Amino acid sequence: MTVLCHRCDRSFRTYSALYQHERDSSNHHECPVCDYDGTSWEDLLEHCREEGCRDVCGGCNNGQGTLWAEDCDEYWEHVEDYNVCTECERHFSSASNLYQHKLSHRQLMYECYCCDRTFKTYGGMIIHLERGTCGDTDEISMNELAAECRKWRYFIYTNFQNDMYNCVPLEHGLDPYYCPTCDASMPKLSSLFQHIESDSCDQTLGDSVIGQLRNYLASRL
């Protein structure tokens, strides 16, 4: 009795020989979890993406891709070590570059307080307001609003608050803002929000301090 590989139009004397052929042939790419047999490596990768049989990193092996055991520690270590975007599987040279790339996957979420433009990040919307091209806002007026907020002591250094409150332009190179969680210093209100939206620390947009600041800005603009 012979058994036939229909894909390759080859016959084999035993099932063992057929299975060996399927494991070794470039025309067969078997899923290590289920009985799927792809005609190409790319087909197998796409199958694993769709079915979740394995985690796929398309950026590995010079762009040829690699399969990882689903949700294993080694995969997540690889993601961290190589700054992998888990949505499109690309590798990046730094965590900062990965963060900037991830913005491309975000939906437009934040509507400007003064016009009908929408932004992917809250910090991006504040940059738009600081530029002075939307309504009557600019960097000085945004500093003024931040200094008026009841919680200003948690994100503005004391020696800058009075000048900001009175709309005095600050000298270039100064960092009047700081993160309520990690104390990192920032030059602009938009920089503060960009820091919060990054993975730099555990500060979030919705906590009591930053949440009140956002509510205050929304009420005044």
Side-chain angles (χ1 to χ4, degrees):
M1 181 188 75
T2 60
V3 290
L4 180 67
C5 173
H6 296 280
R7 181 176 300 169
C8 302
D9 193 24
R10 289 184 57 187
S11 59
F12 298 87
R13 304 176 76 178
T14 64
Y15 279 106
S16 177
L18 171 63
Y19 298 151
Q20 183 67 44
H21 157 75
E22 291 174 343
R23 286 192 296 271
D24 296 340
S25 171
S26 60
N27 290 329
H28 295 270
H29 298 267
E30 298 180 328
C31 177
V33 177
C34 62
D35 60 358
Y36 176 82
D37 181 6
T39 58
S40 68
W41 173 245
E42 291 74 19
D43 287 344
L44 175 58
L45 294 181
E46 193 58 35
H47 161 78
C48 289
R49 290 186 184 105
E50 292 178 355
E51 301 298 329
C53 306
R54 283 284 190 266
D55 285 319
V56 180
C57 182
C60 293
N61 293 333
N62 295 317
Q64 296 301 306
T66 297
L67 296 178
W68 299 80
E70 185 181 5
D71 202 28
C72 67
D73 291 342
E74 290 80 4
Y75 169 72
W76 291 111
E77 289 173 5
H78 169 73
V79 167
E80 183 174 355
D81 291 344
Y82 290 88
N83 303 299
V84 178
C85 174
T86 55
E87 293 190 61
C88 65
E89 303 166 12
R90 289 176 58 190
H91 292 193
F92 291 87
S93 59
S94 69
S96 176
N97 288 344
L98 172 61
Y99 170 72
Q100 292 300 321
H101 162 77
K102 282 184 175 181
L103 297 181
S104 67
H105 292 299
R106 289 191 182 182
Q107 302 268 333
L108 294 174
M109 297 175 58
Y110 300 99
E111 186 174 340
C112 176
Y113 292 139
C114 299
C115 70
D116 58 1
R117 286 192 60 183
T118 310
F119 298 84
K120 291 183 178 181
T121 66
Y122 189 84
M125 188 262 287
I126 299 300
I127 290 174
H128 164 71
L129 293 172
E130 289 176 336
R131 284 176 175 162
T133 58
C134 183
D136 297 325
T137 65
D138 58 17
E139 186 176 335
I140 293 176
S141 65
M142 296 304 292
N143 286 344
E144 177 191 10
L145 291 176
E148 288 176 354
C149 179
R150 289 174 51 193
K151 295 288 188 177
W152 69 264
R153 291 177 180 81
Y154 294 94
F155 51 83
I156 294 176
Y157 291 112
T158 303
N159 53 319
F160 292 108
Q161 191 268 345
N162 187 63
D163 283 348
M164 295 167 67
Y165 184 85
N166 290 290
C167 298
V168 177
L170 301 179
E171 294 181 20
H172 180 71
L174 298 178
D175 291 336
Y177 293 96
Y178 69 94
C179 174
T181 296
C182 70
D183 295 331
S185 300
M186 268 75 64
K188 298 180 181 181
L189 181 61
S190 57
S191 305
L192 173 62
F193 284 116
Q194 287 181 306
H195 167 82
I196 291 169
E197 291 179 291
S198 73
D199 296 327
S200 299
C201 74
D202 294 330
Q203 179 64 45
T204 66
L205 287 175
D207 87 331
S208 59
V209 172
I210 298 303
Q212 287 190 45
L213 171 59
R214 291 177 63 202
N215 289 338
Y216 184 73
L217 294 176
S219 70
R220 292 295 308 278
L221 291 169

